[in-house]
Amino acid sequence: MATIEDTIAAIATPPGRGGIAIIRVSGSKALEVAKTLTGITPKPRQVYFKQFKMNNEVLDEGVVIYFAAPNSYTGEDIVEFQGHGGNVSPKRVLNGILSIDGIRQAEPGEFTRRAFLNNKMDLTAAEAVEDLISAGSESAAKAALSSLEGSFSKNVNELTDRITNFRVRIEACLDFPEEHEDFYESGKTDRELDDIEALAAKTIKIANQGVKLNEGAKIVLAGSPNAGKSSLLNALAGADKAIVTNIPGTTRDVLTAQVEIEGVPVTITDTAGIRDKPSDEIEAIGIQKAIDELKKADLVLFMIDGSKSPVDVMETYTKVKEFESNTNRIMVIVSKADKELCSEVSNLLSSEPFCSLKQVRTSTKTETGLDDLKKVLVDALGIMPIEGVFIARRRHIAALEKAYEYIVKAKDIVATGDLVLCAQEIRQAQDYLGEITGTVTSDDILGKIFSTFCIGK
Ligand SMILES: Nc1nc2c(ncn2[C@@H]2O[C@H](COP(=O)(O)OP(=O)(O)OP(=O)(O)O)[C@@H](O)[C@H]2O)c(=O)[nH]1
Ligand SMILES: [Mg+2]
């Protein structure tokens, strides 16, 4: 069975062609591995150029560095072999290392898990390591780095400290009832709880933005054939990604483009035009795929060709609505603004259901309305540029919201004078905050978190 006592090894750099690959070894046998492969016992933090050999066979040559515990990433002895990149050479070195008795392949995220267990970083920082690696935009990377450097934990710890101080006062009051009046009279208690609530609300707001940066958003272009969806995808992506023709039913497959809107990584998905009578089986499959994409969208841009009499627009909309019932997530794009707006389309747009939806008129030919569209998207996706934003995950939001719920409960109860119950509620809030930074965390949760990490990190 794998335990934390094992010495672990993994290639820390991505597979494929590259100049250098790093093979990392962590644990009590790391130095023995260095000795076996290079014939020397490296001094901590010194660089040696050596051949990496197993049983007299040269596997590679490169640099070996030793980081002695506890001054290493994991807090354990670490040896790094920096050899040649590529698909083969690093694996030969790793296999050589794994053939040494007592060394096993690291599990995903195991180096970082050990760093957490050895108190080198708290849980938000450990998660930020992975979020930094998979950041989809510069803003996401900056926010991840901010969490890694402790800005998220600082917020949570400040909240926890204030709650602890409040608990100390409550407990004192419970132990020494003569302080009971003082507890209420000064108005300090109300102020303290108001401050705690405000800080929790602020932290949730920033964390929500952090989740957006982390996860990005998904926008799906949908509508009747020939409405101009693929043209809009190309315009937003700034590249000819999708085929555009005047033949209805051109797009069959799902196509995506990555764009950045106010720093948030956004995936724009182009889909086959939805109609009742597809021209062939391939188009029918494409339409089904379009419908599947609707279910995953944060926002659907429903495109209507503004230049000609609407055909089946209501039917197509009804279909879209069937799979995206939240109309806050549907926006109407009226395309081909360089041409005159057809009066029937105009009538359609001023009547239900379209008059209740946000509408933007665009032309990809003259680029009219594209800047407006981006502004409206920022709004619709709830993207707010926030100072000091840190990266966050849904589990953090869930825990913060629970903590907030208990803070509000404590506030209600304190007014009734039931301080025992109030202390219990505030304690619950504290426990939820502890889940975020990892002071209160089960093995199950840790397993879930670290299993999504890269191997070698
Ligand atoms: N004048 C004008 N023509 C446009 C505009 N956008 C798209 N078109 C034309 O409309 C036709 C259809 O455009 P597409 O972008 O392929 O439409 P689509 O919605 O992807 O169509 P399907 O893939 O068939 O569902 C093409 O001939 C485009 O050149 C626009 O803003 N102005
Ligand atoms: Mg298309």
Side-chain angles (χ1 to χ4, degrees):
M1 219 187 81
T3 75
I4 190 162
E5 314 302 328
D6 301 337
T7 295
I8 52 171
I11 303 170
T13 39
R17 274 166 64 86
I20 292 168
I22 299 176
I23 296 111
R24 223 181 205 181
V25 184
S26 179
S28 57
K29 292 194 169 168
L31 210 49
E32 188 187 316
V33 173
K35 178 118 202 297
T36 309
L37 266 78
T38 63
I40 60 158
T41 303
K43 291 200 174 72
R45 290 165 188 271
Q46 295 215 8
V47 172
Y48 303 82
F49 183 78
K50 287 281 162 196
Q51 286 183 324
F52 308 152
K53 285 203 245 178
M54 274 306 282
N55 306 325
N56 284 328
E57 187 191 358
V58 180
L59 302 173
D60 195 6
E61 58 176 30
V63 165
V64 62
I65 311 173
Y66 167 48
F67 301 93
N71 300 315
S72 71
Y73 181 71
T74 55
E76 305 171 335
D77 271 358
I78 284 190
V79 169
E80 276 188 14
F81 296 90
Q82 305 186 356
H84 294 93
N87 286 319
V88 181
S89 189
K91 275 193 200 143
R92 292 184 71 218
V93 178
L94 177 65
N95 288 338
I97 293 170
L98 294 176
S99 70
I100 300 170
D101 209 28
I103 317 289
R104 70 165 165 84
Q105 165 80 48
E107 289 166 6
E110 195 169 2
F111 291 93
T112 309
R113 183 172 183 155
R114 289 182 176 201
F116 165 70
L117 293 172
N118 290 325
N119 295 319
K120 299 296 285 188
M121 57 178 79
D122 73 11
L123 205 49
T124 55
E127 290 170 301
V129 169
E130 182 65 7
D131 296 337
L132 178 59
I133 291 170
S134 44
S137 71
E138 197 176 331
S139 305
K142 277 187 192 161
L145 203 54
S146 171
S147 280
L148 182 54
E149 287 176 343
S151 56
F152 190 6
S153 322
K154 207 170 129 224
N155 262 259
V156 175
N157 290 339
E158 190 185 336
L159 199 50
T160 309
D161 285 350
R162 289 202 198 177
I163 289 178
T164 309
N165 289 341
F166 181 72
R167 278 189 59 203
V168 168
R169 291 211 314 120
I170 286 200
E171 304 289 348
C173 194
L174 290 170
D175 290 345
F176 308 102
E178 62 273 18
E179 291 196 12
H180 202 270
E181 259 175 44
D182 201 35
F183 184 80
Y184 282 105
E185 251 176 29
S186 57
K188 197 175 168 197
T189 297
D190 290 339
R191 272 200 310 278
E192 221 174 327
L193 278 173
D194 285 347
D195 284 354
I196 289 172
E197 187 191 348
L199 185 60
K202 185 178 148 211
T203 310
I204 291 175
K205 196 169 162 195
I206 305 179
N208 264 316
Q209 205 55 20
V211 170
K212 288 216 169 82
L213 283 174
N214 210 359
E215 295 186 350
K218 184 174 167 77
I219 293 178
V220 173
L221 301 171
S224 302
N226 235 12
K229 301 178 291 301
S230 300
S231 304
L232 186 61
L233 175 89
N234 290 346
L236 292 173
D240 266 347
K241 289 212 134 219
I243 300 172
V244 168
T245 75
N246 59 2
I247 304 165
T250 299
T251 305
R252 268 108 193 279
D253 238 326
V254 171
L255 269 163
T256 60
Q258 291 294 335
V259 300
E260 221 179 290
I261 299 180
E262 293 288 341
V264 173
V266 176
T267 307
I268 305 200
T269 305
D270 180 26
T271 60
I274 297 170
R275 58 176 165 185
D276 271 348
K277 295 191 181 72
S279 62
D280 55 30
E281 198 187 332
I282 304 170
E283 194 187 346
I285 296 170
I287 292 173
Q288 186 51 50
K289 282 192 169 191
I291 287 167
D292 292 342
E293 290 303 311
L294 291 173
K295 298 173 198 163
K296 300 182 230 158
D298 293 307
L299 188 66
V300 175
L301 301 187
F302 182 74
M303 291 205 75
I304 299 176
D305 184 339
S307 68
K308 61 174 209 248
S309 316
V311 181
D312 298 340
V313 169
M314 247 343 272
E315 286 79 352
T316 308
Y317 179 74
T318 308
K319 191 133 237 170
V320 167
K321 182 99 193 316
E322 199 180 313
F323 296 98
E324 179 51 88
S325 53
N326 183 351
T327 48
N328 288 328
R329 291 176 178 230
I330 307 179
M331 194 186 283
V332 177
I333 309 291
V334 187
S335 67
K336 311 187 189 178
D338 50 287
K339 292 187 179 174
E340 202 182 328
L341 181 65
C342 163
S343 58
E344 289 166 68
V345 175
S346 176
N347 291 339
L348 194 71
L349 294 173
S350 55
S351 52
E352 286 293 350
F354 299 113
C355 64
S356 308
L357 299 175
K358 201 159 266 168
Q359 301 176 358
V360 184
R361 184 126 164 83
T362 61
S363 163
T364 50
K365 204 168 173 189
T366 57
E367 299 190 350
T368 311
L370 295 183
D371 285 342
D372 281 350
L373 174 61
K374 280 185 195 153
K375 282 192 199 119
V376 177
L377 291 180
V378 168
D379 246 18
L381 293 170
I383 299 168
M384 295 170 279
I386 291 184
E387 198 56 37
V389 65
F390 43 73
I391 211 85
R393 297 175 169 206
R394 279 172 198 239
R395 78 163 196 96
H396 301 143
I397 301 286
L400 280 170
E401 283 178 345
K402 272 289 186 194
Y404 184 82
E405 192 183 309
Y406 280 103
I407 291 166
V408 172
K409 273 190 192 165
K411 252 180 85 170
D412 292 344
I413 291 164
V414 85
T416 69
D418 188 345
L419 294 189
V420 175
L421 190 58
C422 178
Q424 274 173 16
E425 304 292 9
I426 207 83
R427 163 96 219 217
Q428 293 274 8
Q430 207 174 6
D431 282 353
Y432 277 110
L433 294 176
E435 272 187 18
I436 298 174
T437 50
T439 47
V440 185
T441 311
S442 70
D443 259 10
D444 275 4
I445 296 179
L446 290 185
K448 227 185 240 169
I449 291 172
F450 288 105
S451 64
T452 60
F453 273 50
C454 318
I455 289 188
K457 195 66 214 175

